[in-house]
Amino acid sequence: MLKHLALKDFAVVRVAELEFGPGMTVISGETGAGKSLLVDALGFLCGLRADSGVVRHGAERAELSAEFDLADAPPALAWLRENELDDSECQLRRVIRADGGSRAFINGRSVTLAQLTELAALLVEIHGQHEHQALLSRPSQLELLDAYARNESERVAVRSAAATWSALLRERDTLSQQGDVSDRINYLEHQFAELQREELAAGAIESLSASHRRQANASGLIDACNAAFTRLAGEDAPSVSRQLQQTRSELARMAEHEPRLRDVDALLESANIQLDEALVVLDRVRDDLDADPAQFMELERTLTRLHDLARKHRVSPEQLGARRDAIAAELEGLRGAGERLLNLNTEIQAATAGWRAAAGKLAKTRTNAAKTLSKATTALIAELGMGGGRFEIAIEPNDAERADPLGSERVEFLVSANAGQPPRALRKVASGGELSRISLAIEVAALGLDAVPTMVFDEVDSGIGGAVSDIVGRKLRALGEKRQVLCVTHLPQVAAQGHAHYRVSKAPVDGMTQSAVELLSPAQREEELARMLGGVDVSNEARAAAKRLLVDVT
């Protein structure tokens, strides 16, 4: 829902700020006062192309901004999150420079005009003599018909069936493009056999490298262990073990004279225990060492072979195991490719049949809804002063060779504004006033099921009067119970139906015409309706008539 609209240096508006609430808000004013400028501003915020002509004379740039509450616009909230834009608020902003350039912003971040247009289409729908009219888009027409049909479960089934069909088709295309894979299989089998002969389990290569280093340095390791054992516990020289025992004996004799020497003896005892343990380990290592030239050569050959394989496959020796597993997986897939292709053809046929069944159910809901909506809209068109007019929804089959996620048909809204005329596409209706009323009739007939939360009607009452204008006003108010409605009008019967009322006026300021926008109080609103009824000179009769209009609404 639109909450706030701000304009600065836009056309003849110097500064204007408007607050909006739910329901129907009307905007009135004298001819030429600039009431449609508010709709124009929303149009530019929705992505319409702009030029320097919209910048107020003497200003460097025009600034437009709109704030929305997204409680009634889940698709817009999802769009913000998908595009990684702040979703704590929703502010659209447009800056149009006097040199013709412009910039667009969403929540303070610069975006492309395409992004602004995409988000705005989920927030605002403008009906009238403007480019931005969602109901003229065939995808939007289909979306509205589906909303009216309440066929979400059928649409989900069609989308799911189409996705399954597409995935199977892609898999078949991929396998078919491989052609004859026998040479590839032979090549991979040779590579797999080479790798399979080697021990490539996790840690095996690291253990092999450690054994190779140990054999390469076996003689030096043996000499180092022997020398260490001799120094620590040898018989022919004062060893560390013997010196430690002698030191403990000498200190024990003197401990009775200095008790702290007992602490020293305890520490030396612990050191002696550690030394004994070190000697056990050292003796075990010395016994395990064996300088075996034949074993060393075998380790050397194995490591060389593994490094050659690693270079061949362009991986490290530690990654050879993963490479072997990848080759095995590819071989399995290639060996089963022929059988899989046969199975895929069967699965695709089944998926196609499944999609057609789901699409048929969806088509039935659309056909029934199209009849009901067409009848209701035709009746409303007659009520809105277009007697003899007719509204139809044409359902046309699309390419049935592909499983389309949108279903097996497309729709086109057709209208005949006068009796005896053949129906034409809604987007080709020439009269802006007729188009506005037809759009209103469609929206009212659809009970506001359109996903867009804010609907704007610009001069929807153009060319009508009398009882029809009262009907138009009541229909707009009824629509306002379902969606937020903004309506620019010159008819008091329509304006009286609004839940809120803005008046646009113009006056010269410092020799330059400027427009101002004012939210009317109940008394001011009565006076404005009297002006709309009686012209410049407001009579008591006009005021009384205005009061009756407001009483009739409440």
Side-chain angles (χ1 to χ4, degrees):
M1 180 183 74
L2 177 64
K3 296 193 302 180
H4 183 82
L5 178 65
L7 290 69
K8 181 180 179 182
D9 293 328
F10 178 65
V12 293
V13 179
R14 187 174 183 278
V15 176
E17 295 198 22
L18 295 84
E19 301 290 337
F20 296 97
M24 174 183 173
T25 299
V26 298
I27 301 167
S28 66
E30 296 179 1
T31 302
K35 52 185 179 293
S36 288
L37 285 175
L38 302 179
V39 180
D40 293 339
L42 279 173
F44 291 130
L45 285 168
C46 290
L48 287 182
R49 295 286 177 182
D51 56 41
S52 59
V54 303
V55 181
R56 189 174 68 88
H57 180 69
E60 294 183 357
R61 63 184 185 178
E63 296 186 27
L64 312 170
S65 68
E67 295 179 12
F68 294 85
D69 183 344
L70 299 182
D72 55 357
L77 182 62
W79 188 94
L80 288 172
R81 291 172 178 169
E82 183 181 344
N83 287 269
E84 299 182 349
L85 291 164
D86 181 15
D87 60 5
S88 62
E89 60 179 356
C90 182
Q91 183 192 61
L92 310 185
R93 182 167 170 258
R94 187 90 180 267
V95 176
I96 305 167
R97 299 192 305 271
D99 62 7
S102 74
R103 294 187 66 190
F105 302 85
I106 296 176
N107 290 341
R109 188 183 301 180
S110 180
V111 296
T112 65
L113 197 58
Q115 287 177 301
L116 183 72
T117 302
E118 190 175 343
L119 175 59
L122 304 174
L123 297 167
V124 180
E125 190 173 277
I126 300 178
H127 303 274
Q129 302 174 41
H130 300 274
E131 292 179 43
H132 188 74
Q133 299 175 42
L135 275 181
L136 302 187
S137 161
R138 294 190 68 176
S140 296
Q141 293 173 0
L142 180 62
E143 186 175 339
L144 178 59
L145 178 62
D146 283 335
Y148 184 78
R150 293 179 171 88
N151 56 14
E152 178 60 25
S153 60
E154 288 83 359
R155 281 186 287 161
V156 169
V158 168
R159 286 196 297 269
S160 176
T164 299
W165 180 88
S166 296
L168 292 171
L169 199 68
R170 285 195 299 271
E171 184 180 356
R172 187 179 68 180
D173 290 344
T174 300
L175 291 177
S176 298
Q177 289 170 3
Q178 292 177 345
D180 185 4
V181 295
S182 56
D183 289 343
R184 177 69 176 170
I185 290 175
N186 292 334
Y187 174 69
L188 291 176
E189 285 178 338
H190 173 72
Q191 288 192 325
F192 182 74
E194 282 185 327
L195 293 171
Q196 188 71 358
R197 286 193 290 267
E198 306 297 339
E199 175 56 52
L200 301 177
I205 293 179
E206 183 179 351
S207 176
L208 184 67
S209 297
S211 297
H212 178 264
R213 289 193 300 272
R214 190 163 52 249
Q215 276 295 327
N217 297 279
S219 297
L221 287 169
I222 291 172
D223 292 343
C225 288
N226 287 333
F229 199 90
T230 299
R231 285 193 296 271
L232 294 175
E235 298 290 339
D236 299 334
S239 65
V240 173
S241 179
R242 191 173 297 175
Q243 291 181 21
L244 191 58
Q245 291 293 342
Q246 183 178 352
T247 301
R248 287 189 65 197
S249 298
E250 293 174 354
L251 291 176
R253 290 195 297 271
M254 306 302 296
E256 60 179 316
H257 306 300
E258 174 53 71
R260 286 179 295 176
L261 291 177
R262 294 191 182 93
D263 295 335
V264 175
D265 182 64
L267 291 171
L268 291 175
E269 182 182 15
S270 176
N272 192 54
I273 293 172
Q274 298 253 353
L275 178 61
D276 289 343
E277 291 178 354
L279 288 170
V280 170
V281 174
L282 184 61
D283 190 48
R284 188 181 304 127
V285 170
R286 185 175 59 175
D287 290 343
D288 288 343
L289 290 171
D290 181 18
D292 186 346
Q295 184 183 9
F296 174 72
M297 292 303 296
E298 179 60 28
L299 291 171
E300 183 80 14
R301 283 192 295 270
T302 301
L303 279 175
T304 300
R305 192 166 59 249
L306 290 174
H307 280 88
D308 288 343
L309 283 172
R311 282 193 296 272
K312 178 179 180 179
H313 291 277
R314 298 181 181 180
V315 296
S316 66
E318 291 76 16
Q319 294 173 316
L320 285 172
R323 176 59 183 155
R324 177 201 59 202
D325 295 341
I327 291 174
E330 186 178 352
L331 273 171
E332 183 178 357
L334 290 174
R335 286 167 180 159
E339 183 179 354
R340 179 58 183 156
L341 272 173
L342 293 176
N343 292 335
L344 275 173
N345 289 330
T346 303
E347 290 179 25
I348 289 172
Q349 289 178 355
T352 302
W355 174 83
R356 285 176 178 162
K361 293 179 181 179
L362 177 60
K364 187 175 181 180
T365 69
R366 287 171 172 169
T367 300
N368 293 335
K371 292 177 182 177
T372 306
L373 183 57
S374 296
K375 184 177 180 180
T377 304
T378 296
L380 285 166
I381 287 174
E383 287 187 63
L384 296 178
M386 297 173 63
R390 188 170 79 257
F391 176 79
E392 297 177 3
I393 299 178
I395 299 180
E396 306 166 352
N398 62 351
D399 183 6
E401 294 181 1
R402 299 189 64 84
D404 193 314
L406 294 178
S408 58
E409 60 281 320
R410 294 294 181 267
V411 302
E412 176 87 70
F413 286 4
L414 306 177
V415 65
S416 172
N418 300 290
Q421 292 183 348
R424 294 189 301 152
L426 180 64
R427 52 194 164 87
K428 296 181 180 179
V429 173
S431 168
E434 289 178 347
L435 179 58
S436 296
R437 275 177 278 163
I438 293 168
S439 299
L440 172 60
I442 295 170
E443 294 292 355
V444 172
L447 301 176
L449 288 171
D450 198 323
V452 179
T454 299
M455 297 180 181
V456 182
F457 292 90
D458 185 17
E459 301 286 357
V460 70
D461 46 23
S462 175
I464 64 172
V468 175
S469 61
D470 183 61
I471 294 172
V472 169
R474 293 181 186 277
K475 298 302 182 185
L476 284 167
R477 187 178 179 91
L479 185 59
E481 300 297 332
K482 301 289 183 179
R483 292 285 185 268
Q484 183 187 43
V485 172
L486 277 60
C487 177
V488 175
T489 182
H490 67 279
L491 291 179
Q493 294 89 342
V494 175
Q497 296 289 336
H499 296 92
H501 192 154
Y502 276 99
R503 178 178 62 203
V504 181
S505 59
K506 65 177 180 179
V509 178
D510 297 330
M512 185 178 298
T513 299
Q514 293 187 13
S515 289
V517 185
E518 179 184 12
L519 179 62
L520 301 182
S521 66
Q524 291 173 318
R525 188 176 182 190
E526 185 178 310
E527 190 69 15
E528 173 65 5
L529 291 178
R531 181 199 64 78
M532 297 171 74
L533 284 164
V536 177
D537 298 323
V538 179
S539 64
N540 290 331
E541 289 80 3
R543 290 188 176 92
K547 185 175 293 186
R548 283 195 300 272
L549 284 175
L550 292 173
V551 169
D552 289 343
V553 172
T554 57

